[in-house]
Amino acid sequence: MAVPRAKTSKARTRRRRGVNMHLEAPQLVECSNCGNLTMQHRVCPKCGYYGGRQVIVPQA
């Protein structure tokens, strides 16, 4: 059975893990009512529309 000869250093471990732990930019889509960029499947904070109808009344 294979056994490592020496302890893996913190730097080597974190370098290996860090390759896959990166932040991604959120996917933004245009609001169908006002054209404001919003996150997908969220109510537009500018106009309050979601799915073609007004869900909330936005604060001025």
Side-chain angles (χ1 to χ4, degrees), residues 12-38:
R12 185 176 290 270
T13 303
R14 290 174 183 165
R15 190 181 314 125
R16 184 183 66 242
R17 290 178 181 167
V19 171
N20 298 318
M21 293 186 180
H22 56 273
L23 297 175
E24 293 179 1
Q27 295 294 322
L28 299 177
V29 294
E30 244 184 51
C31 174
S32 59
N33 186 49
C34 67
N36 187 39
L37 290 178
T38 60

Side-chain angles (χ1 to χ4, degrees), residues 43-50 53-60:
V43 176
C44 178
K46 189 174 178 184
C47 65
Y49 272 72
Y50 177 75
R53 62 189 179 95
Q54 188 153 13
V55 180
I56 60 169
V57 178
Q59 296 179 357

